[in-house]
Amino acid sequence: MKRTTRLTAALAAVTLAGLLSAGLGAGNREPDASDFRALPPAPASALQISRSQRLSSGRYLSRWTVVRAATAAHARPSASSRVVAELAASAPEGTPNLLTFLQARGGADGAVWVEVRLPVLPNGSVGWVQRRSLGPYSTVDTHLVVDRAQLRATLYRAGQGVFSAPVGIGTAAWPTPAGEFAVRSELSRYASPFYGPISFGTTARSAVLTDWPDGGFVGIHGTDEPWLLPGRVSHGCIRLRNRDILRLEALLPIGTPLTIR
């Protein structure tokens, strides 16, 4: 037993001496270059950083949303401020009531408020709506411009023209209003010789009754009198030849800003 104990103690001493000589314990030495040459090479990094890419500036992007529940639009982002419009969840055509997003801000009441363009008279009206009354945001990079002097509609995508066609607009007695609006619906149920194969509802309103079925709003639609275009021939709506509005249908998303100038 004593012999076994002495042997065990001797082996422990040898092991401790080896560890100390390898640099473990209180008496470790400074490593030299030969120690590092003996180490295996470091493995390749698993992190691969790709080349930087330029992000879109968002210059041509615009956002829109819809009214989720009937609500009031206020003059300022505060429920105590003046009500400037009452907004229903549906547009007169029965489609969601689409609004163009301008900016968002936190109110003094702690709620998030959104400034939107209002589909009311006078054109150009804006108001603040509580965020909780609105649906999710959607984004488009298109912009439809109707030039009343040139009697032409042009659609831009990311700043580049992708469509252009002659149009008919309102007469002096039934003018097509100028301003900033949005395309809020695409409708096929109005398909007829008068309205053509497809129609678009907009948030533009006329101060006089237009020929739009739901009255007062400006529609974009086809025509059974293409020989009248271009011209000032409508009751305020914007008319295109049927072949042109079918081309436009394939390019024009809902929510597209509409400038009438």
Side-chain angles (χ1 to χ4, degrees):
M1 178 65 70
K2 290 182 179 180
R3 180 179 298 177
T4 302
T5 301
R6 288 196 296 271
L7 178 59
T8 301
L11 289 174
V14 171
T15 301
L16 177 60
L19 290 173
L20 291 174
S21 65
L24 300 178
N28 55 326
R29 63 180 176 80
E30 290 291 331
D32 57 29
S34 62
D35 294 314
F36 293 107
R37 284 195 297 269
L39 296 175
S45 173
L47 176 63
Q48 300 296 325
I49 302 176
S50 58
R51 297 179 60 185
S52 62
Q53 297 185 13
R54 187 175 182 179
L55 299 177
S56 170
S57 65
R59 176 182 175 186
Y60 301 106
L61 296 180
S62 61
R63 285 190 286 179
W64 59 271
T65 184
V66 296
V67 179
R68 185 170 60 183
T71 189
H74 292 258
R76 294 183 293 105
S78 169
S80 62
S81 65
R82 178 173 55 91
V83 173
V84 295
E86 296 288 347
L87 300 174
S90 296
E93 300 91 350
T95 60
N97 196 0
L98 182 147
L99 304 170
T100 300
F101 169 95
L102 298 177
Q103 62 174 318
R105 183 183 300 172
D109 55 2
V112 176
W113 291 80
V114 177
E115 187 181 32
V116 295
R117 295 193 191 280
L118 299 173
V120 300
L121 292 173
N123 286 313
S125 297
V126 299
W128 292 88
V129 180
Q130 285 201 24
R131 178 69 185 89
R132 66 188 182 190
S133 298
L134 303 174
Y137 297 131
S138 294
T139 304
V140 293
D141 65 352
T142 45
H143 187 184
L144 182 62
V145 177
V146 175
D147 190 321
R148 297 179 301 171
Q150 299 296 321
L151 297 173
R152 180 162 289 273
T154 304
L155 179 67
Y156 298 89
R157 178 180 290 124
Q160 301 296 317
V162 294
F163 169 89
S164 185
V167 297
I169 61 170
T171 65
W174 304 80
T176 301
E180 299 295 331
F181 311 104
V183 177
R184 70 176 172 192
S185 60
E186 179 180 335
L187 305 163
S188 59
R189 67 174 179 270
Y190 295 157
S192 65
F194 181 77
Y195 288 108
I198 201 75
S199 302
F200 295 95
T202 80
T203 59
R205 298 199 70 163
S206 174
V208 295
L209 190 66
T210 67
D211 55 19
W212 191 239
D214 294 289
F217 285 94
V218 173
I220 304 172
H221 58 80
T223 181
D224 58 353
E225 298 177 311
W227 55 85
L228 296 179
L229 308 184
R232 292 171 174 81
V233 297
S234 79
H235 291 165
C237 287
I238 299 164
R239 300 183 188 178
L240 283 81
R241 295 173 180 140
N242 289 344
R243 67 173 182 268
D244 290 331
I245 202 163
L246 287 173
R247 286 197 299 127
L248 183 60
E249 179 196 13
L251 301 169
L252 182 65
I254 300 304
T256 295
L258 167 64
T259 298
I260 302 176
R261 62 190 185 197

